[in-house]
Amino acid sequence: MAFRSAVITFPGSNCDRDMADALEKVSGTPALRVWHGDHDLPEGLDFIALPGGFSYGDYLRCGAIASRSPVMQAVIAAADKGVPVLGVCNGFQVLTESGLLPGALLRNSVIRFVCRDVRLKVENAQSLFTSGYEAGQEIAIPVAHHDGNYFADEETLDRLEGEGRVAFRYMEDVNGSARQIAGVLNAAGNVLGMMPHPERAIEATHGGTDGRALFESAIRGLVGA
């Protein structure tokens, strides 16, 4: 069975081609490209990706306007039916603004753009996205954001921790995120939001391959299901 994925492009997205390229290189099948103004998604999708960038110039709040784009109603409906959705960087912000994930991404505590490789700890290695890793494994993934400071109230944070929904955690204070959280899952485990960019870490010639296992995990789990 061929893997069928789609990458959503918003005005201001700048990592959509990277995401599509990563999905094609790992799966062997080109990703479908979907414009934010579309009301419907292609039929039979196995995987949806919301890429990084600066949708709508980050006006109002990062991801706030994009979360109201016409296509997001279809994305939310697909997620509710169990279709896996990955949101990276700005895509993570869109997921929180749309209500698919709890919390919010605030301005970095250091008040500057952070662009470098960071060390992450894999906290949950049992999800569709992370089964290719080992629990506690340390990986290196690049970040590039100005508003990646994950915030949620203590009750929500305790629930995320208790339910095993923290997927990745920074090994250092990168942006002020509560409890060093770098990526979270929804309750069903089919939606992942993360600030680091795994699509930029799939080839050794580009600096590392630690992000490749995320895509391999998802594709293996979906195609082999």
Side-chain angles (χ1 to χ4, degrees):
M1 184 179 83
F3 179 70
R4 190 169 167 83
S5 64
V7 177
I8 312 298
T9 298
F10 302 95
S13 294
N14 65 6
C15 301
D16 46 338
R17 292 180 65 180
D18 292 344
M19 182 66 74
D21 187 58
L23 285 166
E24 180 175 359
K25 284 180 177 175
V26 178
S27 72
T29 305
L32 301 171
R33 308 298 295 275
V34 178
W35 182 237
H36 79 111
D38 294 345
H39 289 270
D40 300 306
L41 291 167
E43 294 184 1
L45 288 179
D46 299 306
F47 190 93
I48 301 168
L50 307 184
F54 304 90
S55 58
Y56 290 93
D58 283 346
Y59 290 115
L60 187 59
R61 292 184 309 277
C62 298
I65 300 176
S67 72
R68 303 299 188 267
S69 288
V71 76
M72 284 306 299
Q73 291 305 309
V75 172
I76 292 169
D80 288 343
K81 292 178 181 176
V83 177
V85 178
L86 170 65
V88 172
C89 199
N90 188 223
F92 186 9
Q93 296 161 345
V94 175
L95 291 177
T96 60
E97 290 287 345
S98 65
L100 281 171
L101 289 175
L105 283 307
L106 309 179
R107 184 63 48 87
N108 294 345
S109 60
V110 292
I111 317 296
R112 66 174 181 269
F113 192 85
V114 178
C115 183
R116 59 184 173 88
D117 287 353
V118 299
R119 301 295 299 178
L120 303 178
K121 179 181 179 182
V122 179
E123 292 288 353
N124 179 341
Q126 298 180 333
S127 77
L128 174 73
F129 304 95
T130 59
S131 62
Y133 300 106
E134 298 291 334
Q137 181 178 345
E138 295 184 22
I139 60 176
I141 304 287
V143 297
H145 59 253
H146 197 263
D147 296 75
N149 179 357
Y150 184 74
F151 172 84
D153 60 54
E154 288 299 314
E155 180 180 352
T156 298
L157 292 170
D158 288 342
R159 185 172 70 252
L160 291 173
E161 300 271 16
E163 295 176 356
R165 291 167 56 189
V166 177
F168 300 103
R169 199 184 307 270
Y170 298 113
M171 299 294 293
E172 59 179 303
D173 184 6
V174 173
N175 49 33
S177 289
R179 305 187 189 182
Q180 311 286 50
I181 291 174
V184 298
L185 295 155
N186 69 338
N190 68 304
V191 178
L192 170 65
M194 58 188 297
M195 289 308 296
H197 288 264
E199 77 281 7
R200 297 183 182 177
I202 66 162
E203 295 180 299
T205 52
H206 287 173
T209 60
D210 284 354
R212 192 178 187 92
L214 186 148
F215 297 101
E216 291 176 337
S217 299
I219 294 165
R220 182 171 57 248
L222 292 165
V223 175

